[in-house]
Amino acid sequence: MAHARIVVVGAGVAGLTTALLLAKESKYQITVAAKHMPGDYDIEYASPWAGANYWPISEAGTEAAEWDRNTWPELEDLAKHHPEAGVHFQDTAICNRRKDVDSSLGRYLAEKLKAEPWYKDVVPNFRQLSREQLGTEYNNGHAFTSVCINTAIYLPWLASQCLRKGVVFKRANLKHIRDASRIHHTGQKPDLVVNCTGLSSHKLGGVEDRNMMPIRGQTVLVRNEANVMCSSSGTDDGEEEVCYLMQRAAGGGTLLGGSYQRGNWDSQLDPSLAIRIMKRAVELCPALTEGKGIEHLDIIRHGVGLRPYRQGGTRIEKERIDGVWTVHNYGHGGFGYQASYGCAKKAVKLVGEVLTPRSSL
C-alpha cells in the first residue's frame, strides 16, 4: 500500500508535535518545511521565546479546554520518563487580585482567576492557598504541581523524535501555501498539507487570516533560581503587563515576565518594561535574590516574542486550497505548548478523515 505524502509547514511546537504524531502512525511520508528551525531565534519564530509551561487559561467546557486536558498526560509522561526532553515538574502558585477580574487581561485569563478552575481535577496536588500564604495583596490563589519546559532542549528533542520516525526536514520560505505542493522530499506532489505557520498565517498567501494578531511578550532570563513557578493575575503598571516566573528544566535559567501587548509587532527591547518585569518578579518571589533586590539578578538575556493569537479562537480545520487538501493548526496565542498534543491530535484526526478513503482503496 502506498504511503500518503504530507508536507507540514512550520517547525514550531505545533508543527513539530503534529509531525511527530503523524509519523507515529507509520503510514505517511512526511516532510517538515519551514523558514525557521529549532535552534533559530527570530521574531517570526515564537516557540523558542515561550516559557514554557502548563497553567491553562481555556474556559471550562470548551474545545480549547479539552485540548489542554488531553495535553497534560503527555507532558506529565515526558517529565516522569524522558528527562532528555527538557521537561520537569515544578511546584506552582497562582495568586489573584479581585480588582483584576474586569480588566482586559483578567477577562483573557479568567479561568486562572477562579478559586476552583476546571484543571483542578487534572493536575496533581491541587490545593487552595491560605490567607497567610497569600498575604494582604491577593484575594484568592491556588497551588498545584505543573511542568516547565526548557524550549532550547525540547524543540530539538521533538525534531529528533521526528527524524527517528523518518520525517525529512527542509528549509523553505513559502509565500503561498500552494508552494508546499512542490517541496515534498520525494519530488512528488503531496496528498495533503498541514499549515502550522502560526502568526505567519496572517500574510501567507492562500490563507491570509486577518483574525491573526500578535500579543507581544517581553521577558528576562536569569541564572537565579527560586524552585517555584508562580504568577499574579495582574499588576498596577497597566493592563498589558503581567508578573510570572518559571524555572526551566536542565539548567535553562528562570524566565521572568512579562507583557500581553495585543496588536504590538515591535521586536525591540523596551528597557523600562524590563526593569518593571524584574521589580515585580522580585516582589512576588523575594527568594530569587534572597531579598536583595533586582541588582542581584544575574541576567542571561532579554527576550521579545510575538504570541500567535487568533480572534475567534485557534483554527484547526480542513479545506481545499488550489486542489490540495490543507489541514490548519494555528492561532494558539500563549498556550501553544500546554495545548500542543491536544491540538495535534485533532489535526491528525482531520488528516485521517481526508486520507483514509484514499488509503483504503
Side-chain angles (χ1 to χ4, degrees):
M1 182 184 299
H3 285 51
R5 296 177 297 276
I6 296 174
V7 173
V8 177
V9 185
V13 67
L16 294 173
T17 308
T18 304
L20 179 57
L21 296 192
L22 286 168
K24 286 182 176 181
E25 299 208 356
S26 302
K27 58 184 179 182
Y28 304 124
Q29 291 180 311
I30 303 164
T31 301
V32 172
K35 181 180 180 181
H36 302 291
M37 294 285 184
D40 295 356
Y41 283 89
D42 191 278
I43 194 62
E44 294 180 336
Y45 190 37
S47 290
W49 303 107
N53 67 348
Y54 187 91
W55 52 35
I57 60 173
S58 51
E59 184 180 350
T62 64
E63 189 173 22
E66 283 304 300
W67 298 334
D68 288 341
R69 183 185 298 272
N70 292 336
T71 298
W72 172 255
E74 305 289 347
L75 297 179
E76 183 179 40
D77 179 71
L78 291 176
K80 283 182 177 178
H81 304 299
H82 300 279
E84 71 278 8
V87 182
H88 72 162
F89 291 114
Q90 280 227 287
D91 289 331
T92 301
I94 294 177
C95 305
N96 300 317
R97 310 184 306 178
R98 188 175 295 112
K99 63 182 178 180
D100 295 323
V101 172
D102 293 326
S103 69
S104 59
L105 182 60
R107 290 189 293 272
Y108 180 61
L109 304 176
E111 195 67 31
K112 283 175 62 179
L113 271 66
K114 294 180 180 178
E116 294 198 354
W118 65 261
Y119 55 82
K120 69 182 177 63
D121 299 320
V122 176
V123 294
N125 306 316
F126 184 91
R127 59 202 183 276
Q128 299 295 331
L129 293 175
S130 67
R131 174 53 52 196
E132 291 73 22
Q133 291 171 308
L134 286 168
T136 59
E137 185 175 355
Y138 299 103
N139 300 102
N140 71 65
H142 50 271
F144 54 95
T145 299
S146 186
V147 296
C148 187
I149 301 167
N150 185 340
T151 61
I153 295 175
Y154 184 62
L155 292 172
W157 179 83
L158 281 174
S160 71
Q161 298 305 297
C162 288
L163 289 166
R164 286 182 62 191
K165 295 289 185 181
V167 176
V168 175
F169 285 78
K170 296 181 68 174
R171 291 272 184 175
N173 186 6
L174 278 63
K175 304 302 182 184
H176 195 287
I177 193 66
R178 64 169 171 254
D179 296 341
S181 296
R182 298 191 293 269
I183 55 177
H184 194 268
H185 66 272
T186 62
Q188 297 178 277
K189 185 176 180 179
D191 299 289
L192 183 140
V193 172
V194 182
N195 173 29
C196 298
T197 56
L199 192 57
S200 292
S201 288
H202 177 269
K203 62 180 181 180
L204 181 64
V207 181
E208 296 173 292
D209 190 337
R210 299 310 180 198
N211 288 317
M212 290 298 299
M213 63 183 294
I215 297 183
R216 182 182 181 275
Q218 184 168 314
T219 58
V220 183
L221 186 65
V222 301
R223 294 181 177 87
N224 308 64
E225 296 183 350
N227 297 312
V228 67
M229 184 160 61
C230 53
S231 77
S232 65
S233 58
T235 78
D236 293 329
D237 294 325
E239 288 195 3
E240 292 188 324
E241 297 190 26
V242 291
C243 180
Y244 59 82
L245 58 98
M246 54 190 79
Q247 185 177 319
R248 287 174 167 175
T254 300
L255 195 76
L256 316 179
S259 63
Y260 274 77
Q261 298 169 313
R262 292 195 184 208
N264 188 331
W265 294 84
D266 189 1
S267 64
Q268 299 304 304
L269 172 73
D270 180 342
S272 298
L273 175 56
I275 295 293
R276 295 195 296 274
I277 287 170
M278 291 187 283
K279 285 183 176 179
R280 292 192 296 256
V282 169
E283 289 173 2
L284 181 64
C285 185
L288 262 179
T289 57
E290 299 179 349
K292 296 178 182 178
I294 69 170
E295 63 273 14
H296 291 274
L297 288 171
D298 188 357
I299 298 172
I300 300 172
R301 65 169 175 264
H302 296 269
V304 176
L306 302 180
R307 302 175 182 91
Y309 175 73
R310 184 174 186 270
Q311 298 178 86
T314 303
R315 186 183 184 192
I316 309 179
E317 59 187 26
K318 58 187 178 182
E319 68 168 328
R320 273 190 180 273
I321 301 177
D322 289 355
V324 177
W325 275 106
T326 301
V327 170
H328 300 285
N329 180 13
Y330 67 84
H332 304 94
F335 53 88
Y337 283 83
Q338 66 193 25
S340 56
Y341 285 92
C343 291
K345 288 175 182 178
K346 180 176 180 183
V348 169
K349 181 181 179 183
L350 293 178
V351 169
E353 290 176 4
V354 172
L355 297 179
T356 296
R358 174 189 177 279
S359 61
S360 63
L361 294 176

